[in-house]
Structures are given as C-alpha cells and as structure tokens.
Amino acid sequence: MLVLPNSLLAKIGEHPLLASLCITDIGHFPQAENHLRNREHPIDEHVFIYCVSGQGSYSIANGPTHAVFEHMYFILPAGMPHRYESNQSDPWTIYWIHFRGSLASCYLPSTPEPIHISPEKQSRISTRIDIFEEIFATLQAGYTLENLCYASTLLHHYLGSLKFMSQYRASGGQNLGDASVAENAIHFMKENMEKHLSLAEIANFCGYSPSHFSALFKEQTGQSPLSYHNIIKIQEACMLLENTELSITQVSFKVGFVDNLYFSRLFNKIMGISPRNYRKRLGKIT
C-alpha cells in the first residue's frame, strides 16, 4: 500500500485538479486475514473498497451490517463513523482507495448497499484493474506534481467506470454475444484472473454443461479449459514480473495462487524457467 504524507497533502490542496479529486491512500490486500478497521471517529476521506474474491462486511454509523462478496464494491462516505472487516473463514482480496476533493462526492453510490459488478459478456473488469495498477504505479514512481495530477485524472476514469457502469461496458467494444464459446470463456477467465475458477463456473457462464463445454473449448483451442486458464495466468504473471516491482509472492496472489510454491512449479512447467530466474534474465531485482 501507499500512504501519501500529510505534509505533502497539505501543500497540494490549492491545485485546482487535485483540489477536485485527490488520492490520500491506496492499496491491494490479497487474502486479507484479520483485516479490521473500526473508525469511531470520522475521517476526512471517502473509503473505496472493491472485493474481487472472498467475503467481508461493513457498517456505516449506526446502520445495518452489509455482507460483501466477490465482485462487489462499496464506498464509505467521509465524515461518518464506520467499520469493515474481512471474513475469518473466507478472507477477502480487495483493492482500496482513500480519496477526497470537491468533486469526490459525485462518485458516491446512491445506496449504502454494496454494488455488484459480476463478469458479463460486456464487462471490462480486467481493464478496470489495469487502471488501478496504473494509478498505483504512477504514485509509486514518486510524488511529483505531475504524477499526482495524472493519478487524479486516472481516478476520475476509474470511479466513473463504476458510477456509469453501463456506459463503460457499452463503450468498450466487448460485446461477445456472437463470439465463439472459447472467446466467451477466455473473456470470463481474464475477468477472474485473481480467482481459482472451476470448470463448472466457466461452463455455466457460457451456458453449457461442463462436459459439452469442455469438448467445445478443446475443439476450438486444442487445450482443456483449466489448462488454458493456467496459461493465461502465467502470461499475466510474466507481464507483472517484467513491468512491476511486485515480489514473486505478490505476483502469485495477483494471478490467483495462494500457494507460492505451486505457482512457481506451474510457472516453471509452462515457461521452462522459474519466476525468479525469469526476472533475473530481464535484469530485474527479485
């Protein structure tokens, strides 16, 4: 996670762009066991949390407790006490951002309940996650005024993709209604990169029984669905190893593997080299 220094935030409040929307904290917590925040004293930032897998819950002030499941997000409004926590038996994996500014409240949902954004044939979940990663990488590169402004403009896009979800999906050219079974399935796999999918889940998304779907997918790709999903995950892992400073354990989590040793074995099987040596070959520090 990244937490911007208070001394820095105090100096940038007069910039017109950053005064309208500014990130103060940002992070990604995989399998966040024992994650609990109970803020009895309100904070000045809105708190955005997007759960990509696992479960959790939250409450605002003296309101009801809301259950949170995978592919749900919620925003806790600034100036109100709140509490949120990960589920003990099925801890959530979350992307989160603290933000504030004169335009920040424009992106708040109209309801206190969590918003569901499950994968569909027009969904662009993986694209949205890429935007988050770009925000994080920009801030990680340094807190220059230009970086802060760019992160702010990206946050407008990121929050707008949630506030105006139907427009975001429609504009992406991702309508797979006439696509092949394999194309629909691969889209679903990419939208669930951080999750361990079962054959039944992929088949259900495509509208077929597992056995019929598996036969169609293999006919069109030459691979079984789950083998292909692993290949996609390792391709994504290669990209993360090349273009980020994430540790190998973090990369493993990002592509849906809780067991780091299993991830390394699978990576070696598909790529013919370990993740550590792959990164070394690129001249990067492990």
Side-chain angles (χ1 to χ4, degrees):
M1 69 178 187
L2 297 174
V3 178
L4 275 68
N6 287 330
S7 58
L8 175 65
L9 294 172
K11 293 178 180 178
I12 63 177
E14 295 182 0
H15 190 281
L17 181 57
L18 296 174
S20 69
L21 191 66
C22 178
I23 296 167
T24 64
D25 311 70
I26 183 171
H28 170 248
F29 290 167
Q31 297 277 311
E33 295 183 54
N34 302 315
H35 181 219
L36 168 65
R37 294 289 183 272
N38 185 21
R39 296 188 175 99
E40 296 180 359
H41 302 289
I43 59 175
D44 295 331
E45 296 81 36
H46 304 290
V47 179
F48 164 84
I49 295 180
Y50 170 32
C51 175
V52 295
S53 65
Q55 303 177 47
S57 62
Y58 70 95
S59 60
I60 303 172
N62 295 318
T65 297
H66 302 284
V68 180
F69 303 97
E70 64 183 17
H71 296 305
M72 287 184 172
Y73 83 92
F74 59 95
I75 300 179
L76 303 167
M80 299 185 69
H82 59 248
R83 173 189 173 94
Y84 54 88
E85 62 182 318
S86 181
N87 184 278
Q88 291 294 317
S89 59
D90 186 17
W92 60 17
T93 292
I94 58 172
Y95 292 87
W96 58 270
I97 303 172
H98 291 203
F99 64 99
R100 67 191 188 197
S102 60
L103 297 181
S105 61
C106 296
Y107 295 106
L108 298 183
S110 58
T111 172
E113 286 80 21
I115 310 294
H116 199 222
I117 50 174
S118 61
E120 297 176 0
K121 291 180 180 179
Q122 283 185 288
S123 61
R124 301 168 62 195
I125 292 173
S126 61
T127 303
R128 185 183 293 112
I129 290 176
D130 288 342
I131 299 171
F132 182 97
E133 297 292 355
E134 189 166 348
I135 294 172
F136 192 94
T138 299
L139 294 176
Q140 193 175 40
Y143 301 140
T144 64
L145 181 60
E146 291 78 9
N147 283 358
L148 292 170
C149 288
Y150 183 54
S152 176
T153 60
L154 288 171
L155 182 61
H156 276 289
H157 183 30
Y158 184 84
L159 294 174
S161 76
L162 294 163
K163 181 73 173 180
F164 309 105
M165 194 181 306
S166 60
Q167 289 80 6
Y168 171 74
R169 291 184 168 187
S171 66
Q174 291 279 355
N175 190 344
L176 301 178
D178 297 324
S180 69
V181 172
E183 288 172 322
N184 275 319
I186 292 167
H187 172 72
F188 184 66
M189 293 173 187
K190 290 180 177 179
E191 297 289 77
N192 286 276
M193 189 66 70
E194 299 193 38
K195 184 181 175 185
H196 176 72
L197 292 175
S198 68
L199 177 62
E201 286 177 299
I202 307 172
N204 182 63
F205 177 81
C206 295
Y208 293 92
S209 68
S211 58
H212 189 197
F213 162 73
S214 187
L216 288 172
F217 189 92
K218 191 166 187 178
E219 179 182 319
Q220 293 175 13
T221 67
Q223 299 272 352
S224 72
L226 296 184
S227 293
Y228 199 97
H229 193 207
N230 281 335
I231 291 172
I232 289 175
K233 286 174 177 284
I234 297 305
Q235 288 176 337
E236 178 70 9
C238 289
M239 186 276 294
L240 293 171
L241 290 169
E242 292 174 15
N243 300 314
T244 76
E245 299 302 324
L246 293 174
S247 70
I248 291 173
T249 298
Q250 289 173 311
V251 170
S252 174
F253 274 120
K254 291 285 291 178
V255 295
F257 295 102
V258 177
D259 186 339
N260 188 40
L261 293 178
Y262 176 76
F263 163 71
S264 294
R265 288 196 296 268
L266 182 65
F267 190 100
N268 190 69
K269 179 181 177 181
I270 292 176
M271 299 301 297
I273 189 173
S274 71
R276 187 175 300 277
N277 287 333
Y278 181 88
R279 179 170 267 177
K280 281 184 178 179
R281 190 177 66 182
L282 298 170
K284 285 182 168 284
I285 300 173
T286 57

